[in-house]
C-alpha cells in the first residue's frame, strides 16, 4: 500500500498478464495504475525479486477511458504480483 517494502500488504494481487501504467518508480518499487486485467486499481509493487522479474516493461498501455490520458508505456505482470 506504500512505497516501502514494509508497507501494509493488500490481500488482492495483480493477475498474470495485468497491464499497469507507471505513476512513479523508486528503485525497484513501482507506483502504478491498473490499465488492463485484474487486480487493485492502484498501488505499489516490487518489479523484481532477487530471482525473477515480477513486472516487465511493455511498449503499449491501453487507455481505460476517454477521460484518462494514455500512457506511452507501462508494465505487465508475467506472474501474479502481491501489492
Amino acid at each position: 500500500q506504500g512505497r516501502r517494502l514494509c508497507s501494509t500488504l493488500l490481500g488482492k494481487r495483480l493477475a498474470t498478464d495485468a497491464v499497469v501504467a507507471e505513476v512513479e518508480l523508486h528503485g525497484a518499487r513501482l507506483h502504478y495504475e491498473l490499465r488492463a486485467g485484474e487486480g487493485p486499481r492502484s498501488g505499489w509493487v516490487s518489479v523484481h525479486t532477487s530471482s525473477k522479474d515480477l513486472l516487465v516493461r511493455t511498449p503499449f498501455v491501453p487507455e481505460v477511458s476517454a477521460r484518462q490520458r494514455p500512457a506511452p508505456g507501462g508494465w505487465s505482470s508475467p506472474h501474479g504480483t502481491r501489492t
Side-chain angles (χ1 to χ4, degrees), residues 4-79:
R4 296 175 39 170
L5 283 173
C6 62
S7 62
T8 304
L9 294 176
L10 299 175
K12 200 171 183 184
R13 292 180 180 226
L14 287 173
T16 300
D17 295 328
V19 177
V20 299
E22 180 178 324
V23 175
E24 56 185 309
L25 182 64
H26 289 275
R29 296 287 286 169
L30 175 72
H31 185 199
Y32 74 88
E33 291 179 351
L34 183 65
R35 292 292 190 234
E38 296 185 25
R41 289 184 180 179
S42 66
W44 286 88
V45 293
S46 295
V47 297
H48 60 79
T49 66
S50 60
S51 61
K52 69 178 175 180
D53 289 334
L54 300 176
L55 295 172
V56 293
R57 285 200 183 266
T58 182
F60 174 73
V61 176
E63 191 172 349
V64 174
S65 73
R67 292 187 345 226
Q68 295 175 321
R69 60 180 168 78
W75 299 78
S76 66
S77 175
H79 314 285

